Amino acid sequence: MPTGNGATSLTGWRRWIAGIGLLTSVALFATACQVDGTAQPNAEAVASVQASSLAENSNTSSTDESTGSSGPSTTSTIEDHSTSPGRPTTSPETSLTPRSPTSPTPSPSRTIPTTANGPTVTIADDGFAVSIMVTTLWARALVSKGVKVGIRTIDDTAGQVAALKAGQVDIVQAYNSGLLNYLDDNANAVRQSDVDAAIAAKLPAGLTVLQSTPARDDVQLVVSAATAAKYKLHSITDLAGHLSELTLLLTDDKSAKAFTNGLSNYYGLTFPTTKTTDFAGPKMIAAIKAGPSVGLMVASQYQIDDNRFVVLTDPQHLFLTENFIPLIGGKKITPAMRATLNAVSAKLTVAALRGLRKKVANGEGTFTEVADAWLASVGLR
């Protein structure tokens, strides 16, 4: 178990043992796609809301610059890659399979003109709902400034960076610790500001990052409010005196072993009782609610608020922070655009993102409608 500042003992090995497989792959697979409020991808639901992710709230027609055809501005701008090569074929509720190293070809993008002569910018998301939500916020803020914006889906970091270098996209929605791990898997930064600074120092020439969001999508250990009160749980360290009274909820996958090794190495915790369930899905949520259990959730899940779950603090930084960060390439992104993107990122908290995702999941609006309303509420549209 490390002593002192957890940052001083961080290594590439620790990144895996601490659950980097969970953070940079499962967090993007399993919970980022909770269109229907569960951890199970719902391709139909994703497809139904993607069509209006950047659409104007008017009936005006526009020209699709990728095809030259004319049509309403509600044309789909995001391609769902949830079942394409590069993603696991098994359900993330039953498997924590890491991403394939294969870099998928970027999907065709469609731009939605907002002014006659405005600049055209292409943003890449990873095809899942949390990524769509964040990129839609950035895109709609740019649209409100008269920028033409298109979205394409690229579902892995290597493919995203390659697309930026090739000029195929101008902005990528990245996750900061995942991006740093891609750039340098021996980096020892763990706090948001340190991770962002380390990224900036390691980026290839021609690429930059902007301000990361307070909102994040990292894995967290949670308990029910009743369990927290009964055992006085606030931090992962508080679990030490109650291991025999608590059940650790795990997924039936090799990543579960890495996670339990991380708990042992960084906190000295070994639970005598474990239970196999889904990852951050309805079964795990039900088990956390039902009894004295400790489970895995992801920061952007609105079910944490809905169920009044208590997130245990992580003083040893077992779980790496995964804040959303715009990765920029090329010269299209002007200082004014950068300022717009930074303004959105500064306002996007974990609580705000959970609320936005809940609205979409509950059918209270499309990504575009929900994004526009939120931007207006914080004075950015």
Side-chain angles (χ1 to χ4, degrees):
M1 179 175 175
T3 59
N5 188 338
T8 62
S9 58
L10 184 64
T11 64
W13 173 87
R14 181 266 192 189
R15 280 179 174 264
W16 170 249
I17 294 300
I20 193 65
L22 245 53
L23 297 176
T24 60
S25 57
V26 178
L28 307 187
F29 291 132
T31 63
C33 50
Q34 291 175 324
V35 174
D36 61 354
T38 73
Q40 175 64 35
N42 186 329
E44 182 178 353
V46 171
S48 71
V49 293
Q50 283 174 342
S52 60
S53 65
L54 285 182
E56 291 286 16
N57 293 328
S58 68
N59 294 322
T60 57
S61 294
S62 63
T63 301
D64 181 334
E65 295 184 1
S66 64
T67 63
S69 62
S70 295
S73 59
T74 54
T75 305
S76 175
T77 62
I78 305 174
E79 180 179 337
D80 179 23
H81 278 285
S82 59
T83 59
S84 70
R87 292 205 182 274
T89 55
T90 54
S91 165
E93 288 197 358
T94 57
S95 172
L96 301 188
T97 307
R99 288 182 179 227
S100 164
T102 304
S103 299
T105 302
S107 65
S109 65
R110 296 183 178 183
T111 50
I112 298 176
T114 56
T115 63
N117 299 303
T120 299
V121 169
T122 303
I123 306 179
D125 64 26
D126 66 19
F128 283 133
V130 72
S131 181
I132 296 171
M133 189 73 258
V134 174
T135 53
T136 300
L137 290 168
W138 289 338
R140 293 301 293 172
L142 291 175
V143 164
S144 72
K145 302 297 184 182
V147 181
K148 298 177 185 178
V149 180
I151 287 184
R152 60 175 41 172
T153 294
I154 309 173
D155 66 359
D156 78 324
T157 304
Q160 292 169 347
V161 171
L164 282 170
K165 289 181 176 179
Q168 297 171 324
V169 299
D170 307 295
I171 305 170
V172 162
Q173 181 270 295
Y175 303 82
N176 62 352
S177 285
L179 178 58
L180 180 58
N181 188 62
Y182 167 78
L183 296 170
D184 180 6
D185 65 5
N186 288 310
N188 62 7
V190 291
R191 294 176 176 84
Q192 180 180 359
S193 59
D194 295 334
V195 171
D196 292 352
I199 290 170
K202 294 287 184 178
L203 281 175
L207 302 184
T208 58
V209 286
L210 301 184
Q211 179 176 329
S212 63
T213 65
R216 60 193 192 277
D217 211 37
D218 45 284
V219 179
Q220 301 177 328
L221 272 181
V222 306
V223 296
S224 69
T227 297
K230 181 177 181 178
Y231 299 108
K232 297 180 172 58
L233 303 177
H234 306 281
S235 165
I236 296 176
T237 58
D238 296 332
L239 296 170
H242 307 285
L243 296 178
S244 63
E245 301 164 276
L246 298 167
T247 297
L248 179 63
L249 304 174
L250 298 171
T251 54
D252 188 14
D253 187 87
K254 63 181 180 181
S255 293
K257 182 177 180 180
F259 166 58
T260 54
N261 284 343
L263 280 176
S264 175
N265 288 326
Y266 278 78
Y267 287 97
L269 301 178
T270 300
F271 284 80
T273 305
T274 63
K275 179 181 178 181
T276 299
T277 182
D278 53 13
F279 175 80
K283 294 178 182 178
M284 184 167 286
I285 291 170
I288 295 170
K289 292 167 63 177
S293 300
V294 183
L296 294 165
M297 301 286 286
V298 173
S300 72
Q301 289 186 263
Y302 60 84
Q303 292 90 343
I304 292 174
D305 291 338
D306 282 1
N307 293 290
R308 297 178 58 243
F309 288 161
V310 174
V311 175
L312 301 180
T313 61
D314 181 14
Q316 291 290 347
H317 302 284
L318 174 63
F319 300 114
L320 302 181
T321 187
E322 290 292 356
N323 306 82
F324 304 92
I325 190 167
L327 178 60
I328 307 296
K331 299 180 179 179
K332 286 185 181 180
I333 309 305
T334 66
M337 292 181 199
R338 289 169 182 255
T340 296
L341 293 167
N342 281 337
V344 174
S345 294
K347 297 280 189 180
L348 187 58
T349 63
V350 171
L353 183 57
R354 288 176 184 169
L356 293 168
R357 296 191 61 188
K358 182 176 180 178
K359 286 180 182 294
V360 174
N362 288 346
E364 297 177 40
T366 64
F367 285 121
T368 295
E369 293 164 344
V370 169
D372 283 351
W374 182 80
L375 290 169
S377 74
V378 296
L380 294 177
R381 186 174 177 82

